[in-house]
Amino acid sequence: MNPRTASRLSALALLLLAASPTHAGAAPDGAALYKEHCAECHGADRFGRQGPALIPQNLRRLRKKRAHGVIAKGRAATQMPGFGETLSKEQIAALVGYIYTPLASLPEWGAKEIAASHVVHKPELVEGSAKTAKPVYKADPLNVFLVVEAGDHHVTVLDGDRFEPIHRFKSRFGLHGGPKYTSDGRFVYFASRDGWISKFDMYRLETVAEVRAGINTRNAAVSSDDRYVIVGNYLPHTLVILDARDLSLAKIIPVTDGKGTSSRVSAVYDARPRRSFIAALKDLREVWEISYDPDPPAGFSGSWVYDYNKTSGDAAKPKAFPVRRIKVEQYLDDFFFDQDYIYVIGAARDGGGQVVNLDARRVEARIDLPGLPHLGSGITWPYKDTTVLATPNLRTGEVSIIDMATWRTIKKLKTLGPGFFMRSHESSRYAWVDVFFGPHRDAMHVIDKATLEIVRTLRPEPGKTAAHVEFDKTGRHALVSIWDRKGAIVVYDAETLKEVKRIPMVKPSGKYNVHNKITLSRGTSH
Ligand code: DHE
């Protein structure tokens, strides 16, 4: 080979090497590796998609060394896989460097952007007039389930008596968390991980309105008076309040401590008897109570007034959304309420829990939780002369059963592996818990609520993950998801534990019964 050709070839080889994010020799290119391995779930722009945003502002609680471990080994209790087998240490280090590199500018998602994304698809359904007040189908509207099919981003409306699909429609990409019904079950609100909130009419089976309330959203809640929807965001660090009728913007609350530190929102829920929303924060050791009571009790601050009636000088206008901040000991990654909504039982990703008294505005007890429970999954039931709270733990194969009078763990029930979801119903003697991770992920335990023992382990489809149970209105049937693209909803007789029916679905994740949700059944999430 002549020297000129050889030098051209080696230049070409160098070019090719530089273009490959995984080649040996040259320093790995974090940006290219990100594009190849991370962008699909975390977004090409790093603002999050199904996975969270990977920018320094949202990684404050994760040290670089830990980030290295997460990329190598995956993250417990999330869909994050480990890349330790695929990527070298140097490549992982390059990725860590890349995700901690500040962006030239932070994305704006304020009033202007939110308003520009707002679409009212069906103006005639915004208020739900008498003319449209009957379902277009013949099924008990209170015993209908919504099933989120995560595999192809659809939602099925399922008749809870006959277990037959009534309707199926395309949802926004990556719905996460429970859809939230209005108090009569007529409307429902979905939140997607990328910030879209959709309002759906359960009677007319149509999407009424949509708005993008954030770039990377945690979850949403509806006020008990059906007037507002609140959205908790990871990005930007805001709580966004929408008018529940048409999803127009009512207020943006920046989540900051007033001293320059802002925070992601871990979760926000409605606290019905308090007429307030409660938000847990990821980066500030605080719980926030946001009142929508026209006459909020003492301790709230903030004077912004939202003209809900869109009129001026109206005496009935609520003093909208003042905030009361409560200091806590640890960052809360999620939480759960007691049945009276006085206590917040909060959990941190690294384990441990704390009980916050919302009235006294202080931490009142610590509870023993070994790892982060997917706390939306905690349920309660009467046990002997007390009430217990039970939740699976995402790291260890055990269900913690806690006495809510003393906050002591009365049992750690061994399971075949860490679980995600736990469910029951007032009229059922059983509680069901899945085994989401590990070799037994196809198993579903059935626990006797009186003896606190596992009485049966079902395997609805051997080899495929069985997860997330929801009961029908009466509690006679329990529905289990086969979490697979060729999946199904398997309906069980909740007493005999025998299979009744199998309905094919595309990776059905959660399912949500209207009656159980709007009556705040103890056996399900709210
Ligand atoms: Fe969830 C609900 C947090 C991972 C499926 N999940 C929730 C809620 C929170 C939460 C705060 C309650 C929101 C609500 O209903 O308003 N989830 C988290 C996490 O912190 C975690 C561990 C990491 C993350 O990725 O955010 C996590 N969740 C997952 C998953 O990996 C699951 C299994 C698949 C997915 O869709 O991402 C998953 N989460 C669900 C489902 C619900 C949920 C199906 C609703 C349960 C219900 O019955 O209400």
Side-chain angles (χ1 to χ4, degrees), residues 150-162:
D152 62 353
H153 310 282
H154 275 70
V155 174
T156 288
V157 183
L158 185 73
D159 177 344
D161 289 308
R162 283 177 285 267

Side-chain angles (χ1 to χ4, degrees), residues 75-90:
R75 190 145 170 88
T78 71
Q79 304 299 308
M80 171 74 188
F83 289 87
E85 306 275 294
T86 332
L87 300 177
S88 68
K89 277 195 183 137
E90 294 70 30

Side-chain angles (χ1 to χ4, degrees), residues 50-52 76-79 150 175-180 193 218-221 234 266-269 282 333-334 349 372 374 376-377 394 420-421 423 436 468-470 483 509-512 517 524-526:
Q50 298 109 303
T78 71
Q79 304 299 308
L175 296 184
H176 177 232
K180 303 292 156 59
R193 291 215 190 229
R218 192 61 176 156
N219 77 325
Y234 265 8
S266 301
V268 60
Y269 300 113
K282 277 234 168 211
D333 289 297
D334 193 14
R349 169 162 274 284
L372 174 73
H374 196 245
S377 309
L394 291 172
F420 242 106
F421 302 101
R423 290 286 177 265
F436 203 89
H468 195 277
V469 175
E470 177 88 325
W483 206 286
S509 54
K511 59 207 82 63
Y512 310 90
K517 296 295 178 198
T524 190
S525 60
H526 305 147

Side-chain angles (χ1 to χ4, degrees), residues 61 176-178 180 216-221 230-234 238-239 255 263-271 277-284 286-290 331-337 344-347 372-376 526:
R61 276 177 60 195
H176 177 232
K180 303 292 156 59
N216 193 206
T217 285
R218 192 61 176 156
N219 77 325
I230 190 164
V231 184
N233 286 324
Y234 265 8
T238 53
L239 283 155
V255 182
S263 175
R264 294 167 291 167
V265 176
S266 301
V268 60
Y269 300 113
D270 179 60
F277 297 116
I278 308 292
L281 308 183
K282 277 234 168 211
D283 310 299
L284 288 174
E286 292 181 12
V287 165
W288 283 19
E289 178 163 19
I290 303 115
Y331 302 108
L332 295 187
D333 289 297
D334 193 14
F335 64 96
F336 177 85
F337 292 109
V344 153
I345 301 109
L372 174 73
H374 196 245
L375 259 194
H526 305 147

